[in-house]
């Protein structure tokens, strides 16, 4: 998903990104990212599941090959993207295993160009609580007031709960 946003006095671009899940194909993600970057000079936000980490500190349990992170870092640098910043639990993905088999990582993120950060200097990504999925939902907030109100959670009823004992 890639589209333009026209606001009163701002125009910018947002891309919803999903990186290839298989390591052997991950280079296609970075090639796509580079192609997308060249399509516009507007301030750009790229948000989604990149299926990769930038640094080894973004993974808990297990390890990642340095070349994988290097390839992602090189694409991010070439595209002029910077991490928007985040709040909440660091790891947005959890494989659901217990003990030594548990793997957690920060593969869901928001990155943008410096020009986009200039438009939204208080923007940040909120990693919400993971409930049913192996990924935590993410929410992008644009200003301080919205970030302050994100802590409050509305109750939502899910029909599937009727079938769950607990």
């Amino acid at each position: 998903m890639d589209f333009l946003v026209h606001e009163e006095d701002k125009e910018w671009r947002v891309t919803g990104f999903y990186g290839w899940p298989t390591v052997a194909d991950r280079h296609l993600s970075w090639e796509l990212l580079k192609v997308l970057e060249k399509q516009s000079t507007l301030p750009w936000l790229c948000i989604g599941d990149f299926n990769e980490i930038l640094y080894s500190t973004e993974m808990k349990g297990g390890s990642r090959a340095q070349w994988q992170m290097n390839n992602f870092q090189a694409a991010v640098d070439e595209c002029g993207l910077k991490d928007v910043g985040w709040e909440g639990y660091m790891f947005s993905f959890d494989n659901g295993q217990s003990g030594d088999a548990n793997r957690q990582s920060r593969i869901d993120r928001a990155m943008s160009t410096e020009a986009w950060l200039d438009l939204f200097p208080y923007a940040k990504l909120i990693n919400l609580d993971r409930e049913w999925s192996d990924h935590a939902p993410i929410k992008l907030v644009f200003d301080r007031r919205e970030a302050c109100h994100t802590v409050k959670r509305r109750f939502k009823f899910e029909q599937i709960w009727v079938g769950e004992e607990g």
Side-chain angles (χ1 to χ4, degrees), residues 13-15 17 33 44-48 50 81 109-112:
R13 177 179 171 213
V14 62
T15 302
F17 195 85
L33 200 59
W44 183 32
L45 171 72
C46 192
I47 183 170
F50 290 82
L81 295 171
R109 60 187 340 123
M111 295 186 290
S112 72

Side-chain angles (χ1 to χ4, degrees), residues 18-166:
Y18 180 72
W20 264 262
T22 54
V23 174
D25 294 328
R26 195 98 17 99
H27 67 98
L28 299 171
S29 299
W30 316 143
E31 293 307 316
L32 174 61
L33 200 59
K34 293 175 203 175
V35 167
L36 289 168
E37 185 271 332
K38 291 180 182 3
Q39 291 180 347
S40 173
T41 58
L42 287 173
W44 183 32
L45 171 72
C46 192
I47 183 170
D49 176 359
F50 290 82
N51 271 314
E52 189 55 79
I53 59 174
L54 284 167
Y55 309 102
S56 59
T57 56
E58 295 179 341
M59 185 173 204
K60 180 178 171 186
S63 63
R64 191 72 114 232
Q66 187 62 48
W67 65 266
Q68 289 177 247
M69 294 179 287
N70 290 348
N71 289 346
F72 186 24
Q73 291 166 2
V76 166
D77 289 345
E78 187 173 324
C79 293
L81 295 171
K82 299 184 179 327
D83 198 271
V84 170
W86 56 274
E87 196 172 278
Y89 187 62
M90 178 180 187
F91 305 112
S92 59
F93 171 80
D94 187 318
N95 70 356
Q97 304 295 313
S98 57
D100 291 342
N102 184 250
R103 305 285 183 265
Q104 298 179 34
S105 56
R106 182 172 182 246
I107 58 176
D108 304 281
R109 60 187 340 123
M111 295 186 290
S112 72
T113 58
E114 193 70 46
W116 190 90
L117 286 171
D118 289 343
L119 289 176
F120 303 101
Y122 299 109
K124 72 172 97 171
L125 191 71
I126 309 292
N127 291 336
L128 301 172
D129 292 337
R130 180 178 11 292
E131 294 182 20
W132 294 99
S133 175
D134 53 358
H135 288 263
I138 55 177
K139 176 182 180 181
L140 184 70
V141 294
F142 292 87
D143 63 44
R144 282 187 273 202
R145 292 174 307 219
E146 193 175 352
C148 293
H149 297 293
T150 345
V151 179
K152 296 178 184 174
R153 290 179 35 163
R154 286 178 279 169
F155 176 78
K156 295 179 186 174
F157 178 79
E158 298 286 343
Q159 185 64 33
I160 195 168
W161 294 345
V162 175
E164 292 290 325
E165 186 81 20

